[in-house]
Amino acid sequence: MSALELPGIMSAAQLRDTATFVASLQHADGLIPWFEGHYGDPWNHAEGAMALTVCGLLDEARHAFEWSAEHQAADGSWPMETVGATVTEASIDTNQVAYIAVAVWHHWLITGDITLVHRMWPVVRRAIELVVELQLPGGPICWSRDAAGSVNEGALLTGSASIVTSLRAAMALADLVDDPQPDWELAAARVAHAVARHPDVFIDKSNFAMDWYYPVLGGAVQGAAGLALLDNRWDEFVVAGRGCRCVSDRPWITAAESAELAIALDAVGDRARAVQLMADLQFLRAGRGYWTGWVFPEDTLWPREQSSWTAAAIILAADALSDHSPASGLFRGENLPRLLTIDDCDRTCFALSAGPT
């Protein structure tokens, strides 16, 4: 596979440097932290592994998967925050737990490494079984469980939308290893239906950009409906020439959200705006990595950190927009099982409610 590049925006050398930046943060045990001296979490760790895979740093990516396999709890979870061998936040986030399925499927699409798939399949299965157990009657997924085991029965729109992709990737892996999981198909359909049709049942975080574009990025809202959803609040979140705000009511542009929005735009066929976003956020590049964000009108960087997950999101966006790797269409739904709808299923499978109970 040739080197990844985004012509006119990011050269192959720049993208390779950004991948080596992610690898430089990796701990000896395989964990990829947010940045030097900070904690790691299972979602951003998996995203980092995906970026390493895209750029051909396969030994480092496999080392990251080994960390996930070796540090998974018996119930399928990982803690929200880990620094070295120390757990600094023992609560779990269901979206963070589920994302390992996306990373493993992504790695398979690029490498065809069936040995790694078989190594990671029990890990993925335990993680997804836990997440599905925490699905609410109306379809959303409870977003967290505290260190004492008490479940927070609220659901986050961003988290549940991301879990749609995780469930589809897990279903694809189940088929690959001939261990079908039909209950996951129903779980994915239910959560996608809630995200697309009942966003009011989630905890209100509507000022956050991720709640705006993740229904599209996660695949619950597709095609013309997805494009209309992105158009509807475009002017609230996007600052011309700079990128996407993290929250609609703050003058703060963030590179990771800008890159993820670019992937979401590509998923609904709007590659022109996606490419422009990627071009706009290049002012945040510094050395091999990217600054996390920029505040205006002060025209200052904040926070002054270069995070692994920001670099990873940019690499994945570049891959999607260049159609570079065999996994470049993952967030367009390519090579993923079709999402069932409630019209496909016996309605008795769906206990649709007015909201979380």
Side-chain angles (χ1 to χ4, degrees):
M1 189 167 64
S2 61
L4 172 66
E5 65 176 327
L6 192 55
I9 298 174
M10 304 176 72
S11 70
Q14 287 175 318
L15 280 157
R16 175 75 179 191
D17 282 349
T18 300
T20 60
F21 165 73
V22 175
S24 74
L25 298 174
Q26 190 172 35
H27 293 173
D29 65 358
L31 177 65
I32 302 171
W34 280 24
F35 47 86
E36 191 67 39
H38 202 64
Y39 62 74
D41 72 64
W43 197 100
N44 288 296
H45 169 77
E47 183 97 334
M50 292 166 68
L52 294 172
T53 301
V54 167
C55 292
L57 300 180
L58 300 184
D59 287 343
E60 293 86 346
R62 293 186 190 104
H63 197 29
F65 286 118
E66 280 301 316
W67 181 91
S68 297
E70 292 172 7
H71 289 80
Q72 186 183 40
D75 69 355
S77 69
W78 295 270
M80 283 192 195
E81 299 178 8
T82 304
V83 179
T86 304
V87 173
T88 54
E89 174 52 72
S91 301
I92 71 164
D93 179 314
T94 51
N95 177 34
Q96 292 184 8
V97 170
Y99 204 60
I100 188 64
V102 178
V104 174
W105 180 245
H106 177 269
H107 192 85
W108 157 255
L109 289 174
I110 293 174
T111 67
D113 187 348
I114 195 64
T115 300
L116 184 132
V117 170
H118 284 296
R119 166 76 172 109
M120 295 301 296
W121 171 241
V123 176
V124 170
R125 188 177 58 215
R126 285 191 295 267
I128 297 300
E129 286 173 351
L130 171 62
V131 170
V132 170
E133 285 175 5
L134 295 178
Q135 187 164 39
L136 293 164
I141 308 291
C142 296
W143 84 270
S144 68
R145 190 188 70 196
D146 68 21
S150 179
V151 175
N152 181 336
E153 292 195 350
L156 297 176
L157 181 60
T158 295
S160 285
S162 179
I163 288 170
V164 173
T165 303
S166 296
L167 287 169
R168 293 175 76 188
M171 289 153 51
L173 288 166
D175 289 342
L176 180 63
V177 300
D178 196 23
D179 187 9
Q181 303 288 329
D183 288 350
W184 296 357
E185 297 181 49
L186 298 178
R190 293 175 61 213
V191 66
H193 181 82
V195 168
R197 301 289 296 276
H198 301 286
D200 54 310
V201 306
F202 296 91
I203 298 168
D204 184 12
K205 299 282 185 181
S206 56
N207 61 323
F208 282 79
M210 288 189 293
D211 263 28
W212 165 50
Y213 65 75
Y214 251 91
V216 176
L217 184 63
V221 184
Q222 304 173 0
L227 185 58
L229 186 152
L230 296 180
D231 283 342
N232 188 46
R233 301 186 69 189
W234 182 265
D235 291 338
E236 290 181 54
F237 285 105
V238 177
V239 178
R242 289 302 189 186
C244 181
R245 299 174 190 249
C246 180
V247 289
S248 61
D249 54 352
R250 295 289 185 272
W252 182 32
I253 299 298
T254 45
E257 276 78 359
S258 299
E260 288 186 333
L261 175 56
I263 299 172
L265 286 163
D266 178 66
V268 291
D270 192 345
R271 185 161 287 189
R273 278 195 295 184
V275 169
Q276 186 60 56
L277 268 175
M278 290 295 289
D280 291 346
L281 65 81
Q282 294 308 311
F283 80 101
L284 289 171
R285 185 176 180 87
R288 295 184 297 168
Y290 285 80
W291 295 111
T292 297
W294 171 79
V295 178
F296 62 95
E298 292 84 358
D299 194 20
T300 187
L301 298 167
W302 187 85
R304 293 192 68 87
E305 63 191 32
Q306 292 185 317
S307 49
S308 61
W309 44 271
T310 294
I314 288 168
I315 288 170
L316 294 178
D319 187 40
L321 297 180
S322 64
D323 295 314
H324 170 71
S325 83
S328 61
L330 177 62
F331 295 99
R332 295 192 291 268
E334 296 175 8
N335 298 306
L336 288 176
R338 183 178 69 90
L339 263 177
L340 298 180
T341 69
I342 61 171
D343 292 331
D344 294 321
C345 308
D346 184 338
R347 287 181 179 270
T348 62
C349 294
F350 295 86
L352 296 175
S353 69
T357 58

